[in-house]
Amino acid sequence: MIKKTPLHAWHASNSNNVIPFGGFLLPVYYSSIVEEHLNVRSKAGLFDVSHMGEFIISGPASEKFMQLVTINDVSKLRNGQAQYNAMCDNNGGIIDDIIIYKKDSEFMMVVNASNIDKNFDWLESVMIEDVTIKNKSMEIGLIAIQGPSSRKILQSIINQDISKLKFYHFIDGIDIAGSQSLISRTGYTGELGYEIYASSDSLKKIWEKLMEEGSQHGLMPAGLGCRDTLRLEMSYLLYGNDINQKVNPVEAGLEWITKFKKGHFIGRDSIIEKKDKMSKRIFCFSMVDRAIPRSGCKVIYDDRFIGRVTSGTMSPMIKNGIGMGYIEKS
């Protein structure tokens, strides 16, 4: 069954392009993909990202468990820090790419919408003693405000100073429109931006407050379309397109978050074994001709098939076709 985010009624009233995505009904755009994209790059855009899933992992052995199921080194995190990470199966295939938030006595794991049930079932299947995991995906809502004006807009509706909040750091317990929220300096656009985690019940009030205060700074609502074009300009991976369980982190260009020296983690031995035998690797490209690359397109070099495109679009900034895919490892 297709789910609705807490902001569905607002989207349905303001967009004629609400479609199923990751099991949820979400807007592709409100005005146009290009207009929203350029507005995020120059001013600010507001995204409903409530389709993402949130798991709370707690207990005396929670850090040990996180080290086991993820490829990055969670022990490096301090309270108030976030980390880009991934989970792999025993064969080294990427189950999902995720964000980990380290709180005082627990971790919050943010997962991709289409993988919520799969991830939760897998985590339960490899559970160890003294760990509790709860799926809070339907209780926690998520809004992202992104763009050069995002700090000014967000600061105008909260009492706590966020000017010194560093990239991949967060502050919990901030009051926004009467709701205790977590504000994280993270995002999927490459711009200055923040993500706001709050109760699903309070999300509409926070969204409307931001839209009201942000209007004088050029804030616009933004949909799935420009979320995709923005992330492609930054060469950010999208699960299901650019990575999946048939791809390992090294092939996907994620060796930088794969910490072999931290010790055992699920998939480690398989990734090491395959590391020197890789037959493909990810690459990013810009078109020479004025054309839009599409997922599934063949990559030809010297009249020889060497790979396929996994994501592609027309970049509104450089006005050229861009994309990423996999090619044979030379």
Side-chain angles (χ1 to χ4, degrees):
M1 188 175 84
I2 302 295
K3 300 174 185 176
K4 298 176 181 178
T5 75
L7 296 167
H8 173 75
W10 197 96
H11 301 322
S13 297
N14 291 275
S15 171
N16 295 319
N17 300 277
V18 177
I19 65 165
F21 176 82
F24 288 80
L25 288 171
L26 291 165
V28 179
Y29 60 86
Y30 300 89
S31 55
S32 78
I33 293 173
V34 171
E35 183 180 4
E36 291 166 19
H37 180 111
L38 296 175
N39 201 70
V40 171
R41 291 281 184 240
S42 62
K43 297 172 185 174
L46 193 61
F47 298 82
D48 178 10
V49 207
S50 298
H51 57 296
M52 301 294 280
E54 292 85 14
F55 303 155
I56 303 299
I57 297 99
S58 59
S62 56
E63 183 176 299
K64 178 181 178 182
F65 180 65
M66 298 298 285
Q67 287 286 71
L68 172 68
V69 300
T70 68
I71 65 176
N72 207 336
D73 191 351
V74 177
S75 70
K76 299 294 185 183
L77 286 174
R78 299 294 175 260
N79 294 345
Q81 289 185 328
Q83 180 186 73
Y84 180 56
N85 210 322
M87 300 187 294
C88 290
D89 60 24
N90 288 316
N91 294 319
I94 301 172
I95 294 174
D96 203 2
D97 65 329
I98 58 179
I99 303 289
I100 302 295
Y101 291 82
K102 174 69 169 67
K103 298 188 177 186
D104 290 339
S105 58
E106 63 190 23
F107 295 90
M108 180 170 72
M109 177 188 292
V110 180
V111 305
N112 285 295
S114 58
N115 293 334
I116 293 173
D117 293 337
K118 178 190 78 169
N119 290 352
F120 193 78
D121 291 344
W122 180 76
L123 288 167
E124 284 199 316
S125 75
V126 294
M127 185 63 65
I128 63 175
E129 289 186 3
D130 297 323
V131 175
T132 301
I133 177 170
K134 296 179 181 178
N135 184 355
K136 296 286 187 176
S137 303
M138 298 308 293
E139 299 171 36
I140 299 174
L142 176 57
I143 294 171
I145 182 168
Q146 303 281 301
S149 300
S150 60
R151 179 181 293 149
K152 184 185 298 182
I153 296 167
L154 183 55
Q155 188 67 78
S156 71
I157 69 167
I158 60 176
N159 293 324
Q160 194 160 342
D161 181 21
I162 57 169
S163 63
K164 292 181 173 60
L165 186 62
K166 297 178 180 178
F167 193 45
Y168 268 75
H169 285 64
F170 67 92
I171 305 172
D172 204 358
I174 293 183
D175 183 277
I176 307 180
S179 172
Q180 294 299 300
S181 307
L182 183 155
I183 292 179
S184 170
R185 197 181 149 195
T186 45
Y188 199 42
T189 65
E191 295 292 338
L192 171 68
Y194 300 86
E195 293 181 308
I196 303 164
Y197 295 86
S199 68
S200 296
D201 294 340
S202 64
L203 212 64
K204 184 172 182 287
K205 188 182 293 185
I206 295 172
W207 177 277
E208 291 177 341
K209 184 71 172 175
L210 283 165
M211 286 300 300
E212 179 187 349
E213 295 296 322
S215 60
Q216 59 186 312
H217 302 291
L219 179 66
M220 292 176 59
L224 293 169
C226 80
R227 190 167 180 259
D228 193 52
T229 55
L230 288 160
R231 69 96 185 172
L232 269 170
E233 284 185 346
M234 300 304 298
S235 299
Y236 292 158
L237 302 169
L238 175 62
Y239 196 91
N241 281 45
D242 312 305
I243 50 175
N244 53 48
Q245 277 186 250
K246 295 180 180 179
V247 176
N248 70 55
V250 177
E251 292 171 329
L254 295 177
E255 190 169 358
W256 65 279
I257 63 166
T258 310
K259 307 301 183 183
F260 297 110
K261 291 183 180 179
K262 76 171 184 176
H264 175 68
F265 59 85
I266 295 173
R268 178 181 182 272
D269 293 344
S270 292
I271 298 169
I272 292 174
E273 183 181 338
K274 296 172 182 176
K275 190 177 176 183
D276 296 325
K277 305 173 185 176
M278 284 196 309
S279 61
K280 62 183 179 182
R281 62 183 177 87
I282 201 159
F283 81 116
C284 303
F285 62 88
S286 175
M287 301 291 288
V288 174
D289 298 323
R290 187 172 174 79
I292 303 175
R294 299 298 187 190
S295 177
C297 286
K298 294 179 179 179
V299 179
I300 307 294
Y301 181 74
D302 279 348
D303 296 326
R304 186 170 66 89
F305 170 74
I306 62 168
R308 287 191 186 275
V309 174
T310 54
S311 290
T313 192
M314 177 64 71
S315 165
M317 294 299 290
I318 65 174
K319 297 179 173 56
N320 205 22
I322 59 171
M324 63 176 69
Y326 288 86
I327 56 174
E328 294 177 3
K329 184 174 181 288
S330 56

